[in-house]
CSV table of all heavy atoms in Angstrom, one decimal:
chain,number,residue,atom,x,y,z
L,57,LEU,N,-7.9,-8.2,29.2
L,57,LEU,CA,-8.0,-7.9,30.6
L,57,LEU,C,-6.6,-7.5,31.1
L,57,LEU,O,-6.5,-6.6,32.0
L,57,LEU,CB,-8.4,-9.2,31.3
L,57,LEU,CG,-9.9,-9.6,31.2
L,57,LEU,CD1,-10.1,-11.0,31.7
L,57,LEU,CD2,-10.7,-8.6,31.9
L,58,LEU,N,-5.5,-8.1,30.6
L,58,LEU,CA,-4.2,-7.6,31.0
L,58,LEU,C,-4.0,-6.1,30.6
L,58,LEU,O,-3.4,-5.3,31.4
L,58,LEU,CB,-3.1,-8.5,30.3
L,58,LEU,CG,-2.9,-9.9,30.8
L,58,LEU,CD1,-1.9,-10.6,29.9
L,58,LEU,CD2,-2.4,-9.9,32.2
L,59,LEU,N,-4.4,-5.7,29.4
L,59,LEU,CA,-4.3,-4.4,29.0
L,59,LEU,C,-5.2,-3.4,29.8
L,59,LEU,O,-4.8,-2.3,30.2
L,59,LEU,CB,-4.6,-4.2,27.5
L,59,LEU,CG,-4.5,-2.8,26.9
L,59,LEU,CD1,-3.1,-2.2,27.2
L,59,LEU,CD2,-4.8,-2.8,25.4
L,60,ALA,N,-6.4,-3.8,30.1
L,60,ALA,CA,-7.3,-3.0,30.9
L,60,ALA,C,-6.7,-2.7,32.2
L,60,ALA,O,-6.8,-1.6,32.8
L,60,ALA,CB,-8.7,-3.7,31.0
L,61,HIS,N,-6.1,-3.8,32.8
L,61,HIS,CA,-5.5,-3.6,34.1
L,61,HIS,C,-4.3,-2.6,34.0
L,61,HIS,O,-4.1,-1.8,34.9
L,61,HIS,CB,-5.0,-4.9,34.7
L,61,HIS,CG,-4.3,-4.9,36.0
L,61,HIS,ND1,-4.9,-4.6,37.2
L,61,HIS,CD2,-2.9,-5.0,36.3
L,61,HIS,CE1,-4.0,-4.6,38.1
L,61,HIS,NE2,-2.8,-4.8,37.6
L,62,ALA,N,-3.5,-2.7,32.9
L,62,ALA,CA,-2.4,-1.8,32.8
L,62,ALA,C,-2.8,-0.4,32.6
L,62,ALA,O,-2.2,0.6,33.1
L,62,ALA,CB,-1.5,-2.3,31.6
L,63,LEU,N,-3.9,-0.2,31.8
L,63,LEU,CA,-4.4,1.2,31.5
L,63,LEU,C,-5.1,1.8,32.7
L,63,LEU,O,-5.1,3.0,32.8
L,63,LEU,CB,-5.3,1.2,30.3
L,63,LEU,CG,-4.6,0.8,28.9
L,63,LEU,CD1,-5.7,0.7,27.9
L,63,LEU,CD2,-3.6,1.9,28.5
L,64,GLY,N,-5.7,1.0,33.5
L,64,GLY,CA,-6.5,1.5,34.7
L,64,GLY,C,-7.8,2.0,34.3
L,64,GLY,O,-8.2,1.9,33.1
L,65,ALA,N,-8.6,2.4,35.2
L,65,ALA,CA,-10.0,2.8,35.0
L,65,ALA,C,-10.0,4.1,34.1
L,65,ALA,O,-9.2,4.9,34.2
L,65,ALA,CB,-10.7,3.1,36.3
L,66,VAL,N,-11.1,4.2,33.3
L,66,VAL,CA,-11.3,5.4,32.5
L,66,VAL,C,-11.8,6.5,33.4
L,66,VAL,O,-12.9,6.3,33.9
L,66,VAL,CB,-12.3,5.1,31.3
L,66,VAL,CG1,-12.5,6.3,30.5
L,66,VAL,CG2,-11.7,3.9,30.5
L,67,ARG,N,-11.1,7.5,33.5
L,67,ARG,CA,-11.5,8.6,34.4
L,67,ARG,C,-12.4,9.6,33.6
L,67,ARG,O,-12.2,9.9,32.4
L,67,ARG,CB,-10.3,9.4,34.9
L,67,ARG,CG,-9.4,8.5,35.8
L,67,ARG,CD,-8.4,9.4,36.5
L,67,ARG,NE,-7.6,10.1,35.6
L,67,ARG,CZ,-6.4,9.7,35.1
L,67,ARG,NH1,-6.1,8.4,35.3
L,67,ARG,NH2,-5.7,10.4,34.3
L,68,SER,N,-13.4,10.1,34.3
L,68,SER,CA,-14.3,11.1,33.7
L,68,SER,C,-13.6,12.3,33.2
L,68,SER,O,-12.8,12.9,34.0
L,68,SER,CB,-15.4,11.5,34.7
L,68,SER,OG,-16.3,12.4,34.1
L,69,GLY,N,-13.8,12.7,31.9
L,69,GLY,CA,-13.2,13.9,31.4
L,69,GLY,C,-11.8,13.6,30.9
L,69,GLY,O,-11.2,14.5,30.2
L,70,ALA,N,-11.2,12.5,31.2
L,70,ALA,CA,-9.8,12.2,30.6
L,70,ALA,C,-9.9,11.7,29.2
L,70,ALA,O,-10.9,11.0,28.8
L,70,ALA,CB,-9.2,11.1,31.5
L,71,PRO,N,-8.9,12.0,28.4
L,71,PRO,CA,-9.0,11.5,27.0
L,71,PRO,C,-8.9,10.0,26.9
L,71,PRO,O,-8.2,9.3,27.8
L,71,PRO,CB,-7.7,12.1,26.3
L,71,PRO,CG,-6.8,12.4,27.5
L,71,PRO,CD,-7.7,12.7,28.7
Side-chain angles (χ1 to χ4, degrees):
L57 286 169
L58 286 173
L59 179 56
H61 177 75
L63 291 173
V66 179
R67 297 191 303 273
S68 178

